[in-house]
Amino acid sequence: EKVLEKILKNIIYKVPLFLITFFVIEYSPSMLNEIQPDSEDYLNLHQKRQSTYYLIIQALDLLNIDLIFFQKCFLSISIIGLFFLINKKTNIFLSSLTYFLIVSNIYYTSFSKTILTEVFLFSFINLAVFFLFNLKNKPQLIFFSLCCGMIASLKPIGIPIALILMIFAFFKIDKLKKIPLIIVVFLVPNIIENIFFYNHFNKRETVFKDVVAGKLFFMSGKDSF
């Protein structure tokens, strides 16, 4: 009876909020086009990009799930996870305010409507923070570590973010024997990404030189250059 009551409670409170969040994202104006200059690299696997997002795209395509629809759903789930976490740790006013600030940030939600890794990076960070404050059992540890692993495997900038989250987790857990589990699960997405990438390429390239060239090109049009 308690399990059934918990399930019904989750349905009553969380499903409507998910639907509201999804429709707010769906009908809010987008500041980004679906296809960005970098999108082609992710759609066709490129040496300059980590392959995790490409694998996600291929998996969704295999399951006949629309990528943009899935991104909106995934971001919505991660946002309501933050809402319930903040509500649990503080109060309904602060959690509602945070929720409103997030969903009303159309630049932030616009990433769910374009083919870039940012939406998954943001979503996995949201979920990792949610699980960071709920490391009570093995499934929660696994989900937290998996989120951190996905953060690190999506973009190079995700690696330091994931490591910082894991360091916080090491201080929060009550038993040192849980640390190997966190590390092993964290490594899984990164090992898969590396195996897949190096099955297609001999070495990684970097986007750093392109970023520098782009910045110089932008600056060259300034009077202060």
Side-chain angles (χ1 to χ4, degrees):
E1 290 183 1
K2 288 183 179 180
V3 174
L4 181 60
E5 183 181 345
K6 188 175 181 180
I7 293 172
L8 289 173
K9 187 177 179 181
N10 285 334
I11 292 173
I12 292 170
Y13 289 104
K14 294 180 181 179
V15 172
L17 186 58
F18 164 77
L19 293 174
I20 291 170
T21 307
F22 177 84
F23 283 114
V24 168
I25 293 173
E26 173 72 20
Y27 293 107
S28 63
S30 179
M31 297 180 68
L32 301 168
N33 294 323
E34 181 174 325
I35 301 296
Q36 294 293 307
D38 294 340
S39 298
E40 195 67 26
D41 292 348
Y42 296 113
L43 289 169
N44 295 294
L45 193 63
H46 199 280
Q47 278 181 281
K48 295 179 181 178
R49 309 292 178 181
Q50 287 170 267
S51 57
T52 299
Y53 189 46
Y54 174 82
L55 289 171
I56 292 173
I57 294 172
Q58 296 305 308
L60 292 174
D61 186 57
L62 187 65
L63 296 170
N64 200 28
I65 298 173
D66 180 72
L67 173 65
I68 303 301
F69 172 77
F70 183 83
Q71 289 183 166
K72 293 172 186 174
C73 288
F74 197 54
L75 181 61
S76 299
I77 291 170
S78 73
I79 291 172
I80 65 171
L82 279 183
F83 168 80
F84 283 107
L85 171 66
I86 297 170
N87 186 51
K88 181 180 178 181
K89 299 296 181 181
T90 58
N91 54 61
I92 188 65
F93 173 77
L94 189 57
S95 58
S96 298
L97 178 62
T98 304
Y99 173 82
F100 174 77
L101 291 173
I102 293 174
V103 297
S104 63
N105 185 342
I106 59 173
Y107 185 69
Y108 180 87
T109 58
S110 291
F111 282 106
S112 65
K113 304 173 186 180
T114 189
I115 301 176
L116 291 174
T117 58
E118 275 74 8
V119 65
F120 282 105
L121 185 70
F122 297 156
S123 299
F124 278 116
I125 290 173
N126 292 344
L127 292 172
V129 171
F130 172 79
F131 286 114
L132 178 62
F133 289 90
N134 293 279
L135 298 175
K136 297 176 182 177
N137 53 48
K138 187 177 289 187
Q140 290 170 339
L141 280 170
I142 290 172
F143 280 121
F144 168 77
S145 306
L146 189 59
C147 287
C148 289
M150 291 299 293
I151 291 167
S153 68
L154 279 165
K155 289 173 73 78
I157 189 61
I159 297 172
I161 295 172
L163 292 177
I164 291 170
L165 289 167
M166 289 178 65
I167 290 170
F168 278 116
F170 294 157
F171 283 107
K172 279 185 65 67
I173 57 177
D174 53 353
K175 296 179 181 178
L176 292 177
K177 65 180 182 180
K178 293 179 181 178
I179 292 178
L181 174 64
I182 294 175
I183 294 173
V184 169
V185 177
F186 167 79
L187 290 174
V188 170
N190 295 281
I191 291 171
I192 293 172
E193 192 278 332
N194 273 276
I195 291 173
F196 182 84
F197 183 91
Y198 286 108
N199 276 337
H200 291 80
F201 304 108
N202 293 323
K203 65 176 183 178
R204 293 185 188 271
E205 293 183 1
T206 177
V207 296
F208 179 74
K209 59 183 179 182
D210 296 330
V211 171
V212 172
K215 294 294 184 184
L216 289 173
F217 180 79
F218 177 75
M219 291 171 61
S220 66
K222 301 280 186 178
D223 293 336
S224 59
F225 180 70

